[in-house]
Amino acid sequence: MSLTRIAVIGGTGPQGRGLAYRLARAGHAIVLGSRDTARAEVAAAELRQQLEAAEITGASNLDAAASAPVVLLAVPYDGHAELVTGLAGALTGKIVISCVNPLGFDKLGPFGLDVPAGSAAEEAAAIVGEATLVGAFHHLSAPLLLDPEADLSHEDVLVCGDDRAAKELVMGLAADVTGGRAVDAGRLRLARQLEPLTAVLISVNKRYKTRSGVAITGLTQASEKVLA
């Protein structure tokens, strides 16, 4: 796919930084966003040391969102609505990718939170209004994303959204991140199922001391062409 400029909001956190690393390695220009501009600049410099000739810069979340046509939300759900509200003007007209997982933790382990809008992705869509929301990257392990030796090509990235062209763009980015396959999971409302599934993977990881992912069986080459 063609290269593009991508702002990663929450780019200094593990998930955002891992996705930024993989996307930059594929040749995309990356702007790491953070509440702390200096922290974003330091993180960008560290990634540039790992990836020679990569275009990676740091900025405030607002400046990062304003600077790119594609914006990736990789932030904790706590404070999500407030953050997206503050960025709404900069997100208008953009493709916004949400990998936000609304999770809670108690003595029994992780669980999916009830979100009034249905999901974090739908919440962001309702706040911004004129942005095109796509849900993706919920189930990729941050440590594996940051590991240059980790092979993620066996994992599928499930992508949901209501705009076909935006979803196809994000599916191309997903293939750049993993070197493997993206799967069209359907409409944006299915983020309600994709987001809390992360709690199941965390539970599996703890029990089996691994870093599990998602792979969909039963897709033939013909059906994969339809999805692409």
Side-chain angles (χ1 to χ4, degrees), residues 79 140 161 183 186 223:
L140 297 178
V183 175
S223 62

Side-chain angles (χ1 to χ4, degrees), residues 163-188:
D163 184 282
R164 182 177 179 83
K167 194 157 48 172
E168 288 178 350
L169 182 145
V170 175
M171 291 175 71
L173 295 178
D176 286 343
V177 166
T178 66
R181 184 175 65 177
V183 175
D184 186 338
R187 307 286 289 192
L188 188 67

